[in-house]
Amino acid sequence: MMSLGSRRLLFRVGDLGFCLDLCELVEICEDFEILNTPRLHDAGQAVCGGMVFRRTTIPVVDLRSRLGLGASSPARQPHNALVLHSREGNWALLIDQVEGFQPSASMQDLPLPPLLVAPGWRCFEQIALYQARPFIKLDLHACYGGLSP
């Protein structure tokens, strides 16, 4: 049996493909409403509101705005998100669609191209190719934890 760390979740935000190790995923949530929770809003961290997850309100991060892809429309319902864990607790990442789950061994990991290695904030670890299609592997701490060292 394959461990969770040896599989990856493939998903899309806009036209961009992303992946993360399955062990980083808590749950996939579909058709939820983003709550306007002023105490959670943080434009610098791309936190656009909150969502109720297991009777607790957790922050929702919108990578679209952080990457300059245009923010997700709050009026657009329903929303889909990946609930992820961090040292600070669970948080949600807005996504457009899940593409599937693949063994890590079926993907070819490559270093980031210079275009994606910009000074300041970045949330990318590497590029992973699956069937010749690129998926950006996320550094989840950088996505929600602030500036990379």
Side-chain angles (χ1 to χ4, degrees):
M1 183 171 177
M2 205 176 288
S3 74
L4 292 179
S6 63
R7 294 182 55 82
R8 292 189 184 157
L9 170 68
L10 309 181
F11 62 96
R12 295 228 170 254
V13 175
D15 293 333
L16 297 177
F18 294 91
C19 67
L20 54 85
D21 291 329
L22 206 50
C23 63
E24 299 171 312
L25 178 69
V26 175
E27 191 170 309
I28 299 170
C29 294
E30 299 176 312
D31 304 336
F32 74 92
E33 181 179 335
I34 295 177
L35 305 173
N36 185 6
T37 312
R39 69 178 174 79
L40 292 178
H41 277 275
D42 182 348
Q45 290 289 320
V47 176
C48 63
M51 72 176 276
V52 176
F53 179 71
R54 299 180 184 167
R55 296 188 299 243
T56 303
T57 302
I58 63 172
V60 176
V61 173
D62 184 4
L63 275 186
R64 285 177 167 276
S65 64
R66 195 88 187 249
L67 298 175
L69 302 173
S72 297
S73 167
R76 181 184 72 90
Q77 295 296 330
H79 290 284
N80 301 311
L82 306 176
V83 176
L84 307 163
H85 59 85
S86 71
R87 288 173 275 206
E88 294 80 28
N90 291 335
W91 60 283
L93 177 66
L94 286 180
I95 65 166
D96 291 318
Q97 71 181 47
V98 170
E99 286 214 358
F101 303 91
Q102 297 300 326
S104 298
S106 70
M107 303 184 81
Q108 179 185 6
D109 293 334
L110 301 169
L112 287 174
L115 178 64
L116 295 178
V117 182
W121 181 85
R122 68 182 183 110
C123 65
F124 315 126
E125 286 184 357
Q126 61 192 17
I127 298 291
L129 294 180
Y130 176 69
Q131 296 181 341
R133 295 180 318 166
F135 291 87
I136 301 168
K137 188 162 186 317
L138 292 175
D139 174 346
L140 296 179
H141 176 72
C143 288
Y144 182 57
L147 294 174
S148 294

